[in-house]
Structures are given as C-alpha cells and as structure tokens.
Amino acid sequence: MTTSQQDLKTDPYRLAICAAERLRAAMAGHDIVIPSLRGDHPVMGAPMVTLGGCRADVADALAAVLEKIQPEGCS
C-alpha cells in the first residue's frame, strides 16, 4: 500500500465523506432521504458528518427505523 492510499484511509475528511455515504445508503434502503447529508471538515481532528435539516415526516421515518434497532448489550 502506498503512503497516499494509507492517507485516504486515515484522513478525517475522507472518513467523514465515507460515513455520510454509508448513512445515505442505509437510509435509502428505508426510502429516507436527507438532502443536506454530507461529510464535513474535521473538528479538532475528528471526522464530522453534517446531517442538516429535513422535513418532519423524514425525521419521524428515521426515528421509527432507529426505534426498531435494539442496541448491543441491552436485553
């Protein structure tokens, strides 16, 4: 692996973009779209994702999907 390939895997901005793309794809599987979702510039070195605004019905749909997921370690 070249140095530039390694940099892409550890670059906070690139990691944020990848996280946003993963979230967008996961939400699309439930017909949920947040148009302003995007990877953002790092803050204090931490990758950041901007979710942005969405309609109330989209927020309700996302909440309904998340409510069905039981966090690991909980019974």
Side-chain angles (χ1 to χ4, degrees):
M1 180 179 303
T2 67
T3 302
S4 61
Q5 288 173 323
Q6 183 60 34
D7 289 345
L8 287 176
K9 290 188 176 193
T10 59
D11 175 59
Y13 184 59
R14 181 66 188 143
L15 292 171
I17 291 170
C18 289
E21 290 172 354
R22 181 178 178 200
L23 180 57
R24 179 178 284 112
M27 290 189 315
H30 297 278
D31 295 322
I32 298 171
V33 177
I34 298 178
S36 53
L37 173 68
R38 63 182 172 86
D40 209 340
H41 295 281
V43 174
M44 296 177 55
M48 300 296 289
V49 174
T50 298
L51 298 175
C54 66
R55 297 185 325 257
D57 63 318
V58 173
D60 281 339
L62 182 55
V65 169
L66 293 173
E67 288 168 352
K68 293 178 185 177
I69 301 171
Q70 184 173 350
E72 289 184 28
C74 293
S75 53

